[in-house]
Amino acid sequence: MIICWPAPSGRLTGNLCSRPNLLINLKNVWALVPAMKYFDFDRPVDRQNTASLKWEKYKGQDILPLWVADMDFRSPPAIMETLHRKVQHGVFGYGAVSVELVEVICQVLFTKYRWRVDPQWLVWLPGLVSGLNIACRAVGKEHEGVMAMIPVYPPFLTAPKNSNRRLVAVPLAASPHRWEIDFELLAGSVTPDTKLLLLCNPHNPVGRVFSRQEIVELVSFCDRHDIVICSDEIHCDLILDTDKEHVVTATVSPEAAKRTITLMAPSKTFNIPGLGCSFAVISSTSLRNKFLRAMAGIVPEVNILGLSAAEAAYRGGWEWLADLLDYLRENRTLVEREIGSMEGLAMHHVEATYLAWIDAREIDKVSPGLFFETHGVGLSEGTDFGLSGFVRLNFGCQRALLREALERMKKAVSGG
Ligand SMILES: Cc1ncc(COP(=O)(O)O)c(C=O)c1O
């Protein structure tokens, strides 16, 4: 099996590469041509009238949609070629997870995260949100506690209730430089019947990449209180800070492995969330069996296009991803600079994801989301994430659109 691998710098250094003119060690050459790009993320893509959730919301209105977390970019060529072949074939029967897909995922998890995954640990899911809800049903009993740190991706707040569990919401702490886990507050909030912690890392919406030290401390907290961790790591391949690394919760210790359900997917990384292919990794047989029991008969199989796209992405999407990350880093710089200069708005540095969590409390609006919407920018409302006065901005879009949106926001806050 051959997969291309970008170096930590995001550039190819090895010779296991499908690009024919790069079959030599190119480390030094890349250093000389850092600006060279293969994928043009500035190229406009018209998503109107394409049944896109993101773009349908404001159909016919002059509102730029920077809300739900999908990006306005075409996916890697490797995915498109595979899907073209599938469509040409023309038979869309039930899908089966191929040995090759499992093989490439295990290889990627080992190469990127030093995580040796036994194929038997994988449980396939048509979406990560299903995984969060299944975890709530699989662990503990009705009315028991499920912890989540807020603000957080909205399904973390609704999944416990969907399973008749009690949400134990613990605010993250905003230090001057970053959002942090408030371990004192966690310890003060935990109850004897808290059985599950829903962790989001990298974190949506605050953009943190939790450090190994933070993860180790969190695992030891869960160990002390015998809490299972459901670790949503869907954004793990979207690390923007080059001095940060994603630490898979389950890898920090044998105790962590034993009590963790890891949720992952190629969907955010390669911009294929609509294709519905994701997976859980659960090394504990008893925990995995509980998870499988909770989903039995109600969670459909992953569809054939999603499975094909996932394999194509994990095999051939890495060069595209390296260029994407460079593009997102520049978008992030733009957002941080512009938001930082706007009266009444503030934000912390975004370490990962393509989402900016913006503090709009000073502009003193009951609904800052609605306020910006009336000024032509569609953002996600903070209350949905458990914290009012904030908005979330998705900068996974062409820079020209982002500039226009930021311009509109600047006008809005300056009363223009
Ligand atoms: C942290 C997190 N988990 C899960 C999801 C959604 O996953 P899926 O579409 O696979 O259900 C998102 C989408 O934004 C997310 O940010």
Side-chain angles (χ1 to χ4, degrees):
M1 178 179 48
I2 292 180
I3 61 170
C4 289
W5 202 258
S9 64
R11 292 283 161 231
L12 290 166
T13 57
N15 59 6
L16 290 178
C17 176
S18 58
R19 205 183 273 161
N21 59 339
L22 289 179
L23 291 172
I24 49 170
N25 190 320
L26 291 174
K27 194 172 188 175
N28 300 330
V29 178
W30 279 120
L32 295 173
V33 285
M36 194 165 167
K37 295 278 184 289
Y38 281 88
F39 303 102
D40 181 7
F41 294 99
D42 277 323
R43 187 169 149 209
V45 180
D46 184 2
R47 298 187 69 191
Q48 293 180 77
N49 303 312
T50 61
S52 143
L53 175 70
K54 188 181 188 184
W55 283 81
E56 283 299 301
K57 180 169 181 185
Y58 300 114
K59 193 183 173 101
Q61 302 174 68
D62 182 21
I63 300 173
L64 304 174
L66 271 61
W67 65 291
V68 70
D70 75 24
M71 298 185 280
D72 290 335
F73 305 125
R74 287 188 177 81
S75 286
I79 294 182
M80 302 220 273
E81 284 155 20
T82 295
L83 292 182
H84 272 131
R85 269 202 307 278
K86 277 277 165 203
V87 170
Q88 208 84 55
H89 185 242
V91 183
F92 305 107
Y94 296 116
V97 178
S98 68
V99 174
E100 289 78 14
L101 173 57
V102 170
E103 208 174 74
V104 76
I105 284 178
C106 292
Q107 185 177 354
V108 166
L109 294 177
F110 179 69
T111 316
K112 287 203 84 174
Y113 306 116
R114 299 284 131 194
W115 192 17
R116 271 189 206 288
V117 166
D118 181 326
Q120 289 187 8
W121 300 350
L122 296 174
V123 179
W124 292 88
L125 298 165
L128 243 80
V129 171
S130 303
L132 294 169
N133 282 276
I134 296 162
C136 288
R137 282 166 173 74
V139 177
K141 298 193 289 289
E142 291 204 348
H143 311 299
E144 289 186 327
V146 176
M147 276 191 145
M149 288 176 268
I150 55 168
V152 75
Y153 177 59
F156 280 62
L157 307 178
T158 51
K161 280 181 229 155
N162 292 342
S163 318
N164 280 330
R165 266 57 170 182
R166 186 171 40 81
L167 172 69
V168 182
V170 183
L172 288 165
S175 79
H177 304 296
R178 61 182 199 179
W179 289 89
E180 291 178 346
I181 298 172
D182 189 333
F183 285 102
E184 268 181 34
L185 205 52
L186 271 185
S189 311
V190 70
T191 54
D193 73 348
T194 302
K195 296 291 160 63
L196 178 67
L197 168 77
L198 300 178
L199 171 67
C200 189
N201 181 40
H203 193 276
N204 171 6
V206 305
R208 273 297 314 282
V209 180
F210 294 120
S211 67
R212 181 173 296 276
Q213 198 185 339
E214 288 170 297
I215 299 292
V216 167
E217 196 170 340
L218 196 61
V219 168
S220 98
F221 165 80
C222 290
D223 248 353
R224 279 197 303 282
H225 297 281
D226 196 19
I227 294 172
V228 170
I229 304 167
C230 178
S231 187
D232 176 338
E233 304 185 15
I234 195 171
H235 295 281
C236 65
D237 296 313
L238 295 170
I239 309 295
L240 302 181
D241 277 2
T242 48
D243 63 342
K244 307 251 172 358
E245 58 157 0
H246 175 70
V247 176
V248 172
T249 303
T251 63
V252 301
S253 64
E255 291 72 34
K258 218 168 53 195
R259 62 175 63 257
T260 302
I261 297 165
T262 307
L263 302 177
M264 287 184 167
S267 54
K268 298 289 156 187
T269 316
F270 301 103
N271 205 30
I272 47 172
L275 291 178
C277 177
S278 47
F279 55 93
V281 186
I282 313 169
S283 64
S284 154
T285 308
S286 64
L287 190 54
R288 190 168 62 254
N289 284 340
K290 283 184 194 164
F291 191 88
L292 287 167
R293 260 199 308 279
M295 64 189 273
I298 48 174
V299 178
E301 304 292 327
V302 177
N303 75 83
I304 198 165
L305 296 181
L307 291 169
S308 303
E311 189 184 337
Y314 285 129
R315 281 184 193 285
W318 301 107
E319 295 170 69
W320 177 93
L321 178 63
D323 279 0
L324 171 79
L325 290 175
D326 284 344
Y327 192 85
L328 291 177
R329 285 181 187 114
E330 287 180 38
N331 276 5
R332 170 189 63 176
T333 303
L334 177 66
V335 170
E336 290 181 352
R337 193 182 61 229
E338 289 303 310
I339 295 296
S341 73
M342 290 182 207
E343 208 164 313
L345 298 185
M347 63 179 282
H348 284 84
H349 177 60
V350 182
E351 299 172 351
T353 77
Y354 46 83
L355 307 164
W357 183 241
I358 300 169
D359 184 349
R361 286 172 298 184
E362 272 192 24
I363 64 170
D364 197 25
K365 302 285 175 209
V366 180
S367 162
L370 205 57
F371 169 71
F372 286 113
E373 212 173 82
T374 57
H375 287 83
V377 186
L379 305 173
S380 300
E381 190 73 72
T383 39
D384 296 342
F385 297 74
L387 192 55
S388 59
F390 285 74
V391 282
R392 192 193 69 176
L393 179 152
N394 172 351
F395 57 83
C397 61
Q398 282 76 28
R399 197 155 306 136
L401 184 97
L402 182 61
R403 279 211 179 91
E404 170 67 22
L406 291 166
E407 208 43 56
R408 290 181 183 194
M409 288 175 73
K410 188 181 272 181
K411 257 197 204 145
V413 294
S414 59

